[in-house]
Amino acid sequence: MSDSNEVKNKIDKLRAEINRHNYLYHVIDSPEISDAEYDELMRQLKKLEEEYPRFLTTDSPTQRVGATPVEAFGIVEHPQPLLSLGNAFSEEELTAWYNRASKMAGSSEFSFVCEHKIDGLAVALTYVNGEFSIGATRGDGFRGENITQNLRTIRSIPLSVSKEAPSRFEVRGEVFLPKAGFSRLNKERAEEGLSLFANPRNAAAGSVRQLDPRITASRPLDIYIYMLGYAEGWSIPQSHWESLEYIKSLGFKINPNNRRLDSIEQVREYYNTWLEGRENLPYEADGIVVKIDRIDLQERLGNIGHEPRWAIAYKFPAVQGTTVLKEIKISVGRTGTMNPYAVLEPVSVGGVTIKQAALHNEDDIRRKDIREGDTVIIQRAGDVIPQVIGPVISKRPKNTKEFNLLQKTKSKCPKCQFDIFKPEGEVMYYCPNAACPAQRQQRIEHFASRGAMDIRGIGEKMSAILLNEGLINDFADLYYLRDKRDEFINIERMADKSVDNILEAIEKSKGRPLARFINALGIRHVGGETAELLAKHFQSFERLAGAGKEELIHIAAIGPRIADSVSAFFENQENGKIIKKLKAAGVIPEPIETRAGRLLLAGKEFVITGRLNSLSRQEAELKIRALGGSAKSDVTRKTDYLVAGAEPGSKLTRARELGIEQISEDDLIRLLG
Ligand code: IVH
């Protein structure tokens, strides 16, 4: 009796713990433990429930698929539940799954489809009469959140498909943030003092479950469709592979690494290949999914609870390791941020030696309670900077202290000794000295970097040398270096040839496109992606430089923070001088021209009348101007288009009299792209 009580207690405890982690992970996107630790808790619980089935309850976390949907989005009932997958953590477990399936199928000869298990967010996309009409999260498998508006911003999701497609069908897939996008997002968030996403899954979930779709739109999300949910009035193909081919033919994105394989040996090979190769994938894969290909077999095998017997997730071991954190050091960022990083006892994780790891900001370090001297868990994924997941508290030496950035730095910038400060509401400390050598050097480095002006030969070392030797003061001076060729050569150990190569690379960088140039300027909060957006919108540097905060804010995906920072950049006198030098050297890119050779709406006059629905009149006018058009208040013979909203006034009559082309709000939106 007491034995049984003990088991019951243990089960209750595990359930409570798992429920808490479920909430942290699925609902608020901020997990406290690694996936591997979570899987381990689930395994313990599943094992106990299998041994003591009398304790199994319908509300056990093993009996449901996902998390509770957030009401704010509106609920979507899934016509067919979205299932989850059972896991195999070893070859033995894979074999056991295969043997069970063979037995039920009455044969061991069938083919499989192997796919990557991408670490993202499961979604179901419903198309009605060829149009994307509902996009939903998995939620608890039966009811998900309606995130249609957000999903519409993901470019790899077709908004419409051939009219020949079934009149109503649903595809399911994984929305994810590629590794590069994940690193960039976390870096930006750290600078802004926002809490960081623990992994790409959380970042994808956090990006998609935004109440403002513009935020979703600003993140480089992608999707792979991995199955057909249902299709009305259509005979489902014989195999999963064929249904994927069909989905692909409709214009959906299917992972090119999917394979149809004929034996379980080949499945093992596929797994081993990607166990090695996953580092080089642009997305995070935490395993492979093995699916039995034949649909009739799938139907015969059926489901057990929420998991199909015909598919399994064969997980990769986590690329984690533990080591001692020797010291927390501070580097100075391009915009003057104090960036803490961990100096580690070198350790090999998945075949790569790790000596340093990113720590982001003081709040994050304190939240995770990471201290100097701790043994810490570190995790790496592909080319993403290794992350410190957290301390192993049981191994904490005595007398460790909570990390304190002001104490560590004695409140001074480690490079220029200026007093550092923390703006209200932010978590980053800053060096206020714009001339701080660390900042100056990094601005130059950034200007010349690959995503910016891409000047070969100007890296960390060379920017430091040029600055220290007084050959340049800022990045604009790079374009005047050729006048100082002799001095340049005189620098210790510089060969004529390498100096000439660098000078040539600098000259060559003059023709870079507008977006790269904007990125190169190093405006706070403007990375490659935002630069791209600004270039597309303004099409010319002059127009961007002349845009006020008001105009910037009206661009989709540009919030007040970026608008502030861009306008402050162009108002700053020092920056004005640098831009003048760049202009004189012929570095400012030409305006982007459309195929017609001009801005899209160049020379076109618009008049708006009546009420617009999807944007304000002011927004519409700003957008027209940004594309080179003009917006007037009166209809004249020179008017090219009259935009007629709801309840148009006398302007419509006047336009009709003059025979001026009349367009609807929708037409205008199409014109504005
Ligand atoms: S198939 C019935 N295929 O893994 C089969 N799932 O625990 C249901 N996932 O929520 C899923 N990549 O979001 C399938 N290639 C793939 C997948 C995949 C990632 C996710 C999916 C699901 C979870 C299953």
Side-chain angles (χ1 to χ4, degrees):
M1 186 65 192
S2 76
D3 231 353
S4 151
N5 260 343
E6 226 168 78
V7 173
K8 171 103 183 23
N9 275 342
K10 180 125 204 251
I11 287 182
D12 285 344
K13 257 196 171 151
L14 276 168
R15 284 181 188 158
E17 200 175 347
I18 291 168
N19 281 336
R20 191 172 77 86
H21 290 303
N22 263 339
Y23 175 78
L24 291 171
Y25 190 90
H26 292 285
V27 181
I28 61 170
D29 302 325
S30 55
E32 282 178 10
I33 56 174
S34 68
D35 289 0
E37 287 168 286
Y38 177 85
D39 288 340
E40 178 51 34
L41 291 174
M42 275 298 250
R43 266 159 77 85
Q44 286 178 16
L45 179 59
K46 265 193 186 164
K47 195 160 158 263
L48 283 174
E49 287 176 344
E50 272 165 26
E51 277 173 43
Y52 302 89
R54 64 179 182 281
F55 292 138
L56 186 58
T57 57
T58 47
D59 65 356
S60 168
T62 57
Q63 301 303 301
R64 68 167 186 173
V65 188
T68 328
V70 172
E71 300 276 349
F73 286 102
I75 304 288
V76 173
E77 303 263 351
H78 297 302
Q80 280 183 30
L82 269 68
L83 300 178
S84 170
L85 287 170
N87 289 318
F89 294 96
S90 63
E91 214 176 303
E92 289 71 42
E93 290 182 358
L94 176 75
T95 310
W97 167 78
Y98 169 66
N99 289 340
R100 266 196 312 271
S102 306
K103 214 162 136 194
M104 279 190 80
S107 154
S108 52
E109 279 186 29
F110 39 79
S111 42
F112 306 88
V113 175
C114 285
E115 302 165 10
H116 290 165
K117 185 166 188 302
I118 297 181
D119 198 13
L121 181 79
V123 296
L125 314 176
T126 307
Y127 287 73
V128 180
N129 298 329
E131 277 191 32
F132 175 40
S133 60
I134 308 166
T137 63
R138 188 178 64 171
D140 62 7
F142 301 102
R143 285 148 41 96
E145 293 150 1
N146 186 334
I147 51 163
T148 314
Q149 292 313 322
N150 294 354
L151 291 178
R152 285 175 66 92
T153 69
I154 300 176
R155 278 153 205 253
S156 37
I157 295 181
L159 294 180
S160 61
V161 296
S162 153
K163 291 271 178 280
E164 256 126 71
S167 58
R168 187 182 183 101
F169 70 94
E170 181 207 77
V171 291
R172 298 175 183 175
E174 197 81 355
V175 169
F176 62 95
L177 200 61
K179 287 173 188 168
F182 169 68
S183 311
R184 190 166 62 221
L185 184 62
N186 257 356
K187 204 173 148 224
E188 283 171 15
R189 290 179 68 88
E191 275 192 18
E192 281 156 39
L194 300 169
S195 67
L196 302 178
F197 292 116
N199 52 48
R201 194 213 81 87
N202 289 97
S207 303
V208 168
R209 294 167 66 236
Q210 285 287 343
L211 290 170
D212 181 354
R214 288 185 308 179
I215 301 181
T216 312
S218 74
R219 311 234 168 118
L221 292 159
D222 206 344
I223 191 169
Y224 279 129
I225 301 298
Y226 55 62
M227 69 185 277
L228 188 65
Y230 61 86
E232 277 171 15
W234 188 60
S235 56
I236 299 280
Q238 313 264 301
S239 69
H240 175 61
W241 184 258
E242 283 167 73
S243 72
L244 286 179
E245 294 273 286
Y246 178 68
I247 295 169
K248 190 167 156 187
S249 76
L250 288 177
F252 291 96
K253 196 161 168 179
I254 309 293
N255 194 328
N257 295 313
N258 294 348
R259 292 288 178 272
R260 169 143 68 171
L261 302 170
D262 291 328
S263 68
I264 196 77
E265 283 73 39
Q266 288 182 334
V267 170
R268 286 192 198 106
E269 273 171 38
Y270 181 89
Y271 174 87
N272 288 327
T273 305
W274 290 109
L275 179 60
E276 299 264 314
R278 66 168 151 155
E279 291 282 319
N280 302 323
L281 288 171
Y283 50 79
E284 186 77 14
D286 57 354
I288 65 167
V289 182
V290 188
K291 299 175 182 172
I292 292 177
D293 191 30
R294 265 169 54 188
I295 305 284
D296 62 329
L297 284 186
Q298 292 187 359
E299 280 164 4
R300 192 178 313 164
L301 285 164
N303 309 328
I304 173 160
H306 296 293
E307 292 166 6
R309 287 196 191 84
W310 48 266
I312 193 157
Y314 184 8
K315 297 293 250 331
F316 294 136
V319 198
Q320 286 187 344
T322 55
T323 188
V324 173
L325 187 161
K326 295 199 291 194
E327 193 187 348
I328 296 177
K329 284 195 171 176
I330 310 291
S331 68
V332 184
R334 170 161 55 86
T335 53
T337 47
M338 298 291 122
N339 303 330
Y341 65 97
V343 181
L344 305 166
E345 195 63 63
V347 60
S348 168
V349 179
V352 176
T353 304
I354 310 286
K355 296 180 192 148
Q356 285 184 3
L359 282 172
H360 311 295
N361 62 54
E362 186 181 44
D363 279 13
D364 196 55
I365 298 173
R366 290 204 189 158
R367 210 168 13 235
K368 294 179 180 155
D369 194 19
I370 297 165
R371 303 178 181 198
E372 291 182 320
D374 266 341
T375 294
V376 289
I377 303 169
I378 54 172
Q379 179 169 306
R380 53 177 284 271
D383 42 11
V384 176
I385 307 159
Q387 311 272 319
V388 178
I389 301 288
V392 183
I393 300 284
S394 58
K395 291 197 181 158
R396 173 167 286 168
K398 280 196 189 115
N399 302 328
T400 58
K401 280 199 303 263
E402 184 174 60
F403 178 68
N404 183 315
L405 195 138
L406 284 180
Q407 250 169 37
K408 181 87 202 169
T409 53
K410 303 202 172 59
S411 306
K412 298 210 180 299
C413 168
K415 281 281 150 61
C416 72
Q417 311 306 321
F418 266 56
D419 285 342
I420 59 176
F421 74 105
K422 179 154 90 167
E424 212 176 300
E426 294 199 21
V427 289
M428 288 316 254
Y429 284 91
Y430 288 86
C431 165
N433 176 13
C436 170
Q439 287 183 51
R440 272 174 38 193
Q441 185 194 316
Q442 288 197 50
R443 279 198 293 266
I444 295 164
E445 233 181 285
H446 170 77
F447 182 85
S449 68
R450 282 214 357 234
M453 299 300 269
D454 195 9
I455 307 176
R456 213 179 281 172
I458 308 286
E460 185 181 343
K461 262 197 201 139
M462 191 49 66
S463 345
I465 292 174
L466 293 172
L467 264 177
N468 293 341
E469 297 289 331
L471 287 178
I472 60 174
N473 276 313
D474 54 52
F475 49 73
D477 292 342
L478 287 170
Y479 296 95
Y480 298 86
L481 252 184
R482 53 166 185 218
D483 305 336
K484 301 183 178 174
R485 183 172 175 274
D486 293 342
E487 281 171 74
F488 196 176
I489 286 169
N490 277 338
I491 297 176
E492 209 181 355
R493 273 178 294 171
M494 282 299 288
D496 293 21
K497 180 91 185 99
S498 31
V499 165
D500 286 335
N501 284 345
I502 292 176
L503 291 176
E504 202 186 310
I506 293 173
E507 273 315 291
K508 248 175 71 187
S509 75
K510 280 183 181 170
R512 298 279 180 253
L514 181 59
R516 278 169 170 247
F517 178 73
I518 297 172
N519 178 21
L521 294 174
I523 305 171
R524 215 167 130 198
H525 305 313
V526 177
E529 217 179 295
T530 310
E532 198 74 57
L533 215 119
L534 290 172
K536 229 186 237 154
H537 184 90
F538 288 102
Q539 315 232 333
S540 94
F541 180 73
E542 301 300 337
R543 227 188 297 270
L544 166 68
K549 199 181 143 188
E550 191 57 20
E551 186 167 358
L552 286 156
I553 274 183
H554 279 96
I555 306 171
I558 302 283
R561 190 176 46 88
I562 299 179
D564 269 340
S565 152
V566 174
S567 50
F569 180 90
F570 288 109
E571 277 162 22
N572 178 296
Q573 282 195 355
E574 284 306 307
N575 292 333
K577 283 184 203 156
I578 294 178
I579 288 166
K580 223 169 163 182
K581 281 196 275 184
L582 289 170
K583 246 182 218 165
V587 189
I588 310 276
E590 294 285 309
I592 304 178
E593 295 196 336
T594 59
R595 244 178 294 161
R598 278 141 41 99
L599 287 171
L600 257 178
L601 302 182
K604 299 282 180 220
E605 254 191 54
F606 288 75
V607 174
I608 301 176
T609 178
R611 185 169 26 84
L612 302 182
N613 283 321
S614 55
L615 71 180
S616 73
R617 184 180 292 219
Q618 193 189 17
E619 276 171 320
E621 292 182 356
L622 284 169
K623 285 186 175 175
I624 290 170
R625 286 197 198 105
L627 290 175
S630 59
K632 296 280 163 70
S633 50
D634 292 316
V635 178
T636 68
R637 283 185 198 286
K638 282 200 275 164
T639 309
D640 290 289
Y641 298 104
L642 178 87
V643 184
E647 294 155 41
S650 61
K651 289 177 198 170
L652 181 62
T653 329
R654 176 93 180 115
R656 284 199 180 131
E657 282 167 18
L658 295 174
I660 281 155
E661 190 173 342
Q662 183 193 321
I663 63 173
S664 68
E665 179 176 352
D666 285 349
D667 295 332
L668 175 69
I669 288 168
R670 260 191 297 276
L671 268 181
L672 298 174

